[in-house]
Amino acid sequence: KPGTAPGSEGMLANFFNSLLNKNPKGGTP
Amino acid sequence: EVQQMAKQKAHELFSVCDIEQKGFITKRDMQRLQNELPLLPDQLEAVFDSLDDDGNGYLTLEEFTEGFGSYLGINFMG
């Protein structure tokens, strides 16, 4: 898609990784 | 099923960002995360801009989920 800056994918991955690590619920309720 | 799980996870992460449960994320919400995530303010802003597809300054659950999907390599469309 247009407007996706180069390198933004790595940044997104970094962001989601950090978010996932911050929120390690994982298990079923 | 994988899509379903990913959507659920996206929902969960969305609510981590949307602390006040407004139903959308603003840049302000994003900046608040810099205390908790190892990202610089301009990185968070760039992430926000790349997720905010229509560029209206509000990141919806749909936009967030789509971005999460592309991070996972899953296409939710269709």
Side-chain angles (χ1 to χ4, degrees):
Chain A
K1 63 186 174 188
T4 308
S8 71
E9 272 176 37
M11 221 154 46
L12 278 181
N14 194 4
F15 170 72
F16 283 120
N17 269 329
S18 312
L19 212 53
L20 285 166
N21 287 334
K22 166 187 152 43
N23 184 38
K25 271 190 203 164
T28 46
Chain B
E1 282 174 25
V2 175
Q3 287 196 4
Q4 201 54 42
M5 274 175 59
K7 273 189 182 176
Q8 209 178 328
K9 199 73 197 169
H11 212 127
E12 211 175 292
L13 297 180
F14 183 85
S15 57
V16 172
C17 303
D18 181 19
I19 311 167
E20 291 139 351
Q21 306 206 320
K22 301 180 294 299
F24 55 85
I25 299 168
T26 62
K27 281 195 180 176
R28 196 189 157 89
D29 295 323
M30 213 65 169
Q31 295 301 341
R32 258 189 295 210
L33 289 171
Q34 70 174 282
N35 301 321
E36 310 179 47
L37 302 181
L39 276 85
L40 300 170
D42 57 337
Q43 289 175 320
L44 287 167
E45 181 152 351
V47 167
F48 184 95
D49 287 338
S50 81
L51 289 176
D52 184 17
D53 248 354
D54 51 11
N56 66 353
Y58 299 98
L59 193 54
T60 63
L61 178 59
E62 284 77 28
E63 288 167 334
F64 188 89
T65 303
E66 207 183 306
F68 186 60
S70 74
Y71 155 68
L72 294 175
I74 296 173
N75 186 9
F76 291 117
M77 310 297 267

